[in-house]
Amino acid sequence: MPTTYSISDLARELDVTTRAIRFYEEQGMLSPERRGQERIYSPKDLVALKLILRGKRIGFSLAECKELIDLYDPSSGNRKQLQTFMDKIAARRAQLEQQLLDIQQMQLELDTAEERCLAAMAETERKQGVRA
């Protein structure tokens, strides 16, 4: 594994666009060195970008991802970062469970509305059939 990466190395390795990488840099989430116009990314930037992408996949906001990145401290075994990550995972899981309950409730309400519509349509057809 190289000790530094170009923007195209990171983009290729993590299957993201260079534009996305520059965006995360503008947000203060990555901090490459500069050699003239060239950006030189460190292994820490690679880890941060992996964390951003994983966070996005599980529904974390950019602010939450940035908070986790800011807690990166390999000298402490990243204990605080990992605990914060676990707390955020638990909160996200609870949020998803509530959303699932909300969706199930909405499906029941849709079922009820559909049954009422079908009954009303059948009643209308019955009344029209009686008149004919």
Side-chain angles (χ1 to χ4, degrees), residues 50-62 64-65 68 82 84-97 99:
K50 284 180 179 179
L51 188 59
I52 293 165
L53 297 173
R54 183 177 301 128
K56 280 182 51 182
R57 279 194 307 273
I58 58 178
F60 289 175
S61 69
L62 283 183
E64 289 172 312
C65 292
L68 290 168
L82 293 170
T84 302
F85 197 21
M86 289 294 294
D87 295 344
K88 289 186 179 305
I89 288 169
R92 181 69 177 135
R93 188 180 310 276
Q95 179 186 26
L96 288 172
E97 287 169 359
Q99 287 175 333

Side-chain angles (χ1 to χ4, degrees), residues 10 12 37 51 55 106 128:
L10 281 184
R12 202 171 26 257
Q37 292 289 73
L51 188 59
M106 192 177 294
Q128 287 177 346

Side-chain angles (χ1 to χ4, degrees), residues 84-127:
T84 302
F85 197 21
M86 289 294 294
D87 295 344
K88 289 186 179 305
I89 288 169
R92 181 69 177 135
R93 188 180 310 276
Q95 179 186 26
L96 288 172
E97 287 169 359
Q98 184 58 56
Q99 287 175 333
L100 185 55
L101 290 173
D102 293 345
I103 289 169
Q104 291 168 339
Q105 182 61 42
M106 192 177 294
Q107 286 175 321
L108 289 173
E109 291 175 19
L110 288 170
D111 290 345
T112 300
E114 182 179 45
E115 287 169 13
R116 287 181 180 162
C117 284
L118 290 171
M121 289 169 62
E123 181 64 20
T124 301
E125 288 174 11
R126 188 185 65 72
K127 286 181 181 176

Side-chain angles (χ1 to χ4, degrees), residues 68 71-87:
L68 290 168
L71 292 172
Y72 180 74
D73 181 15
S75 67
S76 71
N78 290 310
R79 184 92 182 133
K80 185 166 181 156
Q81 182 190 46
L82 293 170
Q83 186 57 57
T84 302
F85 197 21
M86 289 294 294
D87 295 344

